[in-house]
């Protein structure tokens, strides 16, 4: 009867219709957007309830693993808000799909406060509650759910106090700690008093800590400012922290901005890729080239000698000058190393490619193309292809959309490119499945899907005509291969365009 009453109350709280399944000492309940689960705690000497929300894209039997966000003061008010904000941040590529574990309360004054205080009868149980989370709840979640073992802890008010306590006492249990308007006034600023002894142990921990508080007297009464001052003086390398003060917010409303900013801060740089442009190419002696990067450079570092970048390496800029041949490597480095991204390009010493001297029988107005269909299961032998299904000339937009789109087809585009300037040219292939681009007899680049749907190459050319050949192969429909380029005169504004029709030549 008692269990039934508890479940009825939780049903009202979550607004969900439930089905109950009992298995030994574990009670599991399916709800609309998550699952109510429970665990008998030997540390706390009681059964603890929590809700687990799996990513929307998760499918039973999948091998996918996810980060886990543990929410204190679980229930609709906090967890519903966090669920919506997490889904939004995920959709905007600010963070990955995430499991959310909402820990429901029994006695929050006991569990979330670190010391025994007069007039707070049950206070001072944070040490046991932290032990429960570390030694019982997290192992249970890791075993039963598709967790990758990388965790975030979020809490508001007393929950924020507990988050800060957990940071000081278990810096390796969570990767990120988010405290929304934390009650750091507790016990005459107990947390601030132990900070100087606890902070040195966080050196090299590579964790993040975010505090969000209110402006005004109400915010100052939480004593977040005193913690910020201590962190400014004593935070060791390896602890990345941030404190935000929000105007015109209440103790309750500040949660919204703290969740959003806290999660973004925890995954700072997540949406950065290390891809740069051009990716490979030829450098002429005493003629530097430019490497461009178009995303946020705050978490991206690079080397030019082939070594793997570290935070001690050069920080990436929007434009980097490369003066000599070498292997250029860029790496996006964030606090969660599993999401680091690295890109490498080789730039070799060379001379300006020579144009052809024989330009007889060439006419402007497009490159020749030939379209083939077959039953290939890999890259075909293009030299042996015969009897094309369709032939024609490319148009001004280098648009091959008129070619029938079917599985297993190959396209050859060839002709002569006229260049009217001397200097570096950058060629780009994108949105194809598999393709190779040749200039003369030189293979400039090869593109392979799905890992490489964007390729670029910088090459020194002079005025004249260059034989161009593009081979592409598509096993599946849906790819729209594009070729574009940038002439020396476009470098200042980084402007890529399709090759103009009057510079595309073909043999009639």
């Amino acid at each position: 009867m008692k269990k039934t009453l508890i479940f009825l109350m939780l049903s009202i709280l979550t607004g969900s219709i439930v089905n109950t399944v009992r298995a030994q000492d574990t009670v599991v309940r399916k709800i609309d957007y998550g699952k109510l689960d429970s665990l008998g705690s030997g540390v706390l000497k009681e059964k603890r309830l929590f809700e687990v929300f799996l990513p929307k894209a998760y499918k039973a039997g999948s091998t996918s693993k996810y980060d886990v966000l543990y929410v204190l003061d679980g229930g609709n008010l906090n967890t519903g808000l966090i669920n919506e904000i997490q889904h939004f941040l995920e959709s905007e590529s600010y963070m990955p799909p995430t499991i959310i574990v909402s820990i429901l309360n029994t006695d929050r004054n006991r569990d979330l406060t670190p010391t025994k205080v007069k007039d707070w009868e049950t206070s001072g149980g944070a040490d046991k509650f932290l032990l429960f989370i570390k030694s019982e709840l997290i192992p249970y979640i890791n075993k039963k759910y598709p967790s990758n073992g990388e965790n975030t802890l979020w809490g508001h008010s007393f929950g924020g106090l507990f988050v800060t306590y957990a940071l000081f006492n278990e810096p390796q249990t969570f990767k990120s700690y988010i405290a929304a308007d934390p009650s750091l006034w507790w016990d005459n600023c107990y947390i601030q008093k132990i900070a100087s002894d606890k902070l040195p142990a966080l050196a090299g921990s590579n964790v993040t800590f975010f505090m969000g508080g209110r402006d005004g007297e109400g915010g100052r009464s939480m004593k977040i400012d005193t913690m910020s001052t201590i962190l400014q003086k004593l935070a060791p390398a390896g602890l990345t922290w941030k404190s935000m003060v929000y105007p015109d917010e209440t103790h309750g409303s500040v949660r919204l901005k703290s969740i959003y900013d806290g999660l973004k801060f925890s995954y700072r740089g997540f949406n950065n890729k290390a891809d740069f442009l051009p990716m490979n190419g030829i450098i002429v002696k005493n003629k530097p080239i430019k490497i461009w990067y178009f995303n946020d450079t705050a978490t991206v570092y690079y080397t030019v000698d082939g070594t793997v970048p570290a935070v001690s390496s050069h920080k990436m800029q929007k434009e980097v000058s490369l003066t000599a041949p070498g292997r250029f490597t860029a790496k996006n480095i964030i606090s969660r190393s599993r999401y680091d991204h690295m890109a490498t390009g080789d730039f070799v010493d060379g001379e300006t490619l020579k144009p052809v001297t024989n330009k007889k029988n060439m006419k402007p107005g497009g490159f020749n193309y030939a379209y083939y269909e077959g039953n290939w299961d890999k890259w075909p032998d293009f030299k042996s292809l015969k009897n094309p299904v369709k032939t024609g000339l490319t148009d001004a937009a280098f648009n091959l959309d008129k070619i029938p789109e079917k599985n297993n087809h190959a396209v050859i585009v060839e002709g002569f490119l006229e260049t009217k300037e001397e200097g570096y040219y950058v060629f780009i292939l994108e949105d194809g499945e598999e393709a190779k681009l040749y200039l003369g007899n030189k293979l400039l680049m090869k593109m392979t899907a799905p890992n490489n749907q964007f390729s670029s190459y910088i090459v020194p050319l002079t005025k004249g005509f260059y034989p161009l050949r593009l081979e592409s192969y598509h096993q599946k429909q849906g790819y729209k291969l594009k070729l574009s380029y940038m002439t020396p005169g476009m470098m200042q504004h980084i402007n890529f365009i399709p090759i103009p029709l009057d510079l595309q030549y073909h043999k009639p």
Side-chain angles (χ1 to χ4, degrees):
M1 180 65 184
K2 186 176 180 181
K3 289 182 179 179
T4 302
L5 180 60
I6 292 174
F7 287 158
L8 179 60
M9 293 174 64
L10 286 169
S11 298
I12 296 171
L13 176 65
T14 59
S16 305
I17 299 174
V18 304
N19 293 313
T20 303
V21 179
R22 297 181 183 178
Q24 297 179 355
D25 196 36
T26 300
V27 178
V28 179
R29 185 184 65 167
K30 293 183 178 180
I31 64 176
D32 290 347
Y33 301 103
K35 175 184 292 186
L36 183 69
D37 204 341
S38 69
L39 177 64
S41 171
V43 173
L44 299 176
K45 308 300 182 186
E46 64 184 10
K47 182 171 290 185
R48 294 304 298 250
L49 299 174
F50 47 91
E51 289 181 295
V52 180
F53 297 80
L54 296 177
K56 288 184 177 180
Y58 175 74
K59 294 181 180 179
S62 169
T63 59
S64 298
K65 301 290 185 179
Y66 304 95
D67 294 2
V68 183
L69 170 57
Y70 289 86
V71 179
L72 303 173
D73 286 324
N76 231 21
L77 292 178
N78 287 329
T79 310
L81 192 61
I82 286 177
N83 257 314
E84 293 302 320
I85 294 174
Q86 189 281 321
H87 291 158
F88 175 76
L89 290 172
E90 179 187 333
S91 70
E92 294 295 320
S93 298
Y94 284 121
M95 68 180 296
T98 301
I99 298 171
I100 296 176
V101 177
S102 173
I103 308 173
L104 303 177
N105 289 325
T106 53
D107 184 346
R108 69 187 303 270
N109 291 345
R110 177 198 68 189
D111 292 339
L112 302 179
T113 56
T115 56
K116 182 74 174 179
V117 172
K118 186 180 178 181
D119 298 328
W120 296 79
E121 183 178 351
T122 61
S123 60
D127 55 342
K128 287 187 177 181
F129 189 54
L130 182 56
L131 181 61
F132 157 71
I133 294 175
K134 176 188 176 182
S135 64
E136 295 180 332
L137 180 58
I138 290 178
Y140 178 85
I141 296 296
N142 290 344
K143 182 178 180 180
K144 185 172 180 179
Y145 297 94
S147 162
N148 61 25
E150 197 153 291
N151 308 313
T152 296
L153 181 64
W154 180 93
H156 168 249
S157 193
F158 271 4
L161 170 69
F162 180 86
V163 166
T164 313
Y165 174 80
L167 169 71
F168 286 169
N169 289 277
E170 288 293 342
Q172 299 299 331
T173 298
F174 299 91
K175 199 69 178 177
S176 297
Y177 299 76
I178 304 173
D181 217 19
S183 301
L184 299 180
W185 53 264
W186 177 261
D187 196 3
N188 296 314
C189 297
Y190 166 80
I191 291 292
Q192 291 88 326
K193 292 175 184 177
I194 66 172
S196 59
D197 291 332
K198 295 291 187 177
L199 281 169
L202 273 65
S205 59
N206 194 30
V207 299
T208 64
F209 176 51
F210 179 89
M211 290 188 299
R214 296 165 287 155
D215 195 10
E217 185 58 35
R220 287 188 289 272
S221 68
M222 305 302 279
K223 302 300 181 181
I224 300 171
D225 53 348
T226 62
M227 178 58 71
S228 296
T229 300
I230 292 172
L231 290 172
Q232 288 171 359
K233 295 179 180 179
L234 301 178
L239 172 62
T240 303
W241 70 279
K242 186 175 185 178
S243 180
M244 294 284 291
V245 175
Y246 301 102
D248 303 320
E249 300 293 344
T250 67
H251 181 57
S253 69
V254 76
R255 290 173 303 157
L256 178 67
K257 293 179 179 179
S258 293
I259 294 168
Y260 181 82
D261 289 341
L263 288 174
K264 277 188 69 176
F265 180 71
S266 300
Y267 287 91
R268 181 179 178 226
F270 173 81
N271 59 340
N272 283 349
K273 298 297 182 184
D275 298 327
F276 49 85
L277 190 152
M279 296 176 179
N280 296 280
I282 298 172
I283 296 183
V284 177
K285 188 176 181 180
N286 297 324
K287 292 184 178 180
I289 66 171
K290 298 294 185 182
I291 303 293
W292 295 287
Y293 183 74
F294 300 106
N295 293 321
D296 179 10
T297 61
T299 57
V300 182
Y301 302 82
Y302 75 91
T303 59
V304 296
D305 59 0
T307 58
V308 176
V311 292
S312 57
S313 303
H314 296 290
K315 181 165 283 190
M316 194 69 172
Q317 305 297 320
K318 297 294 184 182
E319 184 177 285
V320 176
S321 181
L322 191 60
T323 59
R327 171 162 287 187
F328 189 94
T329 306
K331 186 175 183 181
N332 182 39
I333 303 174
I334 64 176
S335 62
R336 297 168 184 263
S337 59
R338 69 174 63 246
Y339 300 114
D340 288 352
H341 180 262
M342 188 165 68
T344 299
D346 290 311
F347 297 89
V348 299
D349 187 21
E351 302 292 335
T352 299
L353 272 61
K354 297 184 181 301
V356 297
T357 56
N358 182 7
K359 55 181 181 180
K360 292 181 180 180
N361 299 323
M362 290 191 295
K363 292 185 177 182
F367 298 130
N368 296 107
Y369 76 79
Y371 167 80
Y372 302 85
E373 294 178 359
N375 295 314
W376 315 289
D377 57 1
K378 61 181 180 180
W379 183 267
D381 180 4
F382 278 84
K383 293 182 180 180
S384 67
L385 295 180
K386 297 178 181 179
N387 302 319
V389 175
K390 186 176 182 179
T391 60
L393 297 176
T394 57
D395 60 19
F398 203 83
N399 191 334
L400 301 181
D401 286 349
K402 295 179 182 179
I403 294 175
E405 188 179 347
K406 295 183 177 181
N407 294 337
N408 286 302
H409 70 268
V411 181
I412 299 176
V413 176
E414 55 186 343
F416 294 84
L417 165 66
E418 182 182 7
T419 55
K420 295 188 174 182
E421 299 177 74
E422 181 175 351
Y424 286 112
Y425 286 72
V426 179
F427 292 86
I428 289 180
L429 285 176
E430 55 184 321
D431 297 336
E433 188 172 0
E434 300 210 24
K436 293 179 181 179
L437 178 66
Y438 296 85
L439 211 57
N441 294 321
K442 183 172 181 58
L443 174 62
L444 297 190
M445 52 184 159
K446 179 179 179 180
M447 181 173 62
T448 303
N451 297 323
N452 180 17
Q453 285 188 260
F454 184 94
S455 298
S456 57
Y457 196 93
I458 188 167
V459 58
L461 305 177
T462 188
K463 296 179 182 179
F465 290 84
Y466 289 86
L468 181 146
R469 180 180 173 89
L470 174 61
E471 300 173 351
S472 65
Y473 164 57
H474 297 82
Q475 282 187 305
K476 299 178 181 179
Q477 300 182 37
Y479 289 97
K480 300 291 185 181
L481 179 65
K482 298 176 184 177
L483 170 64
S484 56
Y485 83 150
M486 180 166 60
T487 68
M490 300 174 186
M491 295 287 183
Q492 183 176 357
H493 300 290
I494 318 178
N495 183 30
F496 291 92
I497 62 170
I499 297 172
L501 192 61
D502 61 345
L503 300 182
Q504 299 181 34
Y505 284 74
H506 62 275
K507 288 184 177 181

